[in-house]
Amino acid sequence: MSYRHLVGGVAVVGAVVAGTFAPLAPAAQADAARPVAVPAGRGGDGPSDLVLSDWSLTRATEALVRSAKKRGNQRVTMVVMERSGVIRLVVRTRRAGPQTYESAKRKAYTAVAFGRPTSALTGNETIKQIPGTLVLPGGVPIIRKGFPVAGIGVGGAPDGRIDEAIAGDVRAAMAAQRWRHGADMS
């Protein structure tokens, strides 16, 4: 079966369901028969398709170490999670506790899922009920073209405001980052 037959069959079924057999206009017929091409290696052009470059993740690692040291040698873990849910980076400072990973991961998830710092969500009882979320300070989103494309979560400091300040320092250091769509874009 060709693509043209498939599209034609779908159009007929749609017409039957809609209760009409009016023919498509000539321009609509031509558009319906034309396959949609997606360039190889690219899933789309929206900000949600952007991924963090390796270069930006290196900057994030350096920024975490500097910020944790500057804020009192904090024993923290940082997780950077892309919008797709893929964890791209986990960094632990020396002597960070085992619980810090889970906290950082859940803060990163919450920040990217809702596009807001986790401290801004602390009073939301509904979000607290969603599995995998954590509405304690320490998570910040990375926004690109008005859309959250990644989240940075930091956990382990004795006060969540310190976690969030460190995450903010990391985000600021990544501000000049490079983005990619299957290949690095400089």
Side-chain angles (χ1 to χ4, degrees):
M1 177 186 311
S2 73
Y3 181 78
R4 185 174 295 196
H5 290 112
L6 178 65
V7 171
V10 170
V12 169
V13 170
V16 170
V17 170
T20 179
F21 287 98
L24 292 172
Q29 286 176 342
D31 285 343
R34 185 176 308 132
V36 178
V38 177
R42 294 184 66 169
D45 291 326
S48 64
D49 298 318
L50 296 171
V51 295
L52 301 171
S53 69
D54 294 339
W55 179 82
S56 66
L57 298 173
T58 300
R59 288 183 62 113
T61 300
E62 294 166 350
L64 172 76
V65 172
R66 275 193 313 272
S67 183
K69 185 174 183 175
K70 178 177 81 174
R71 297 181 186 283
N73 284 327
Q74 297 300 320
R75 300 171 184 169
V76 295
T77 298
M78 174 183 68
V79 171
V80 177
M81 179 182 291
E82 291 182 342
R83 179 72 181 183
S84 64
V86 172
I87 295 174
R88 287 292 308 277
L89 181 67
V90 176
V91 180
R92 298 171 65 109
T93 61
R94 290 180 56 179
R95 294 186 285 243
Q99 78 285 2
T100 62
Y101 168 74
E102 187 65 28
S103 172
K105 180 178 83 168
R106 291 174 61 194
K107 289 176 185 181
Y109 170 80
T110 305
V112 71
F114 296 96
R116 300 184 59 204
T118 53
S119 61
L121 303 169
T122 56
N124 191 319
E125 294 300 317
T126 303
I127 293 175
K128 290 179 183 179
Q129 302 302 315
I130 299 172
T133 60
L134 186 59
V135 291
L136 298 174
V140 297
I142 297 173
I143 307 293
R144 176 80 168 160
K145 297 181 182 180
F147 189 81
V149 296
I152 302 168
V154 176
D159 185 335
R161 292 174 293 190
I162 298 170
D163 288 336
E164 195 152 316
I166 293 170
D169 290 345
V170 170
R171 180 175 58 184
M174 294 173 69
Q177 63 195 324
R178 297 176 186 168
W179 300 87
R180 55 175 263 262
H181 267 274
D184 281 327
M185 294 175 56
S186 299

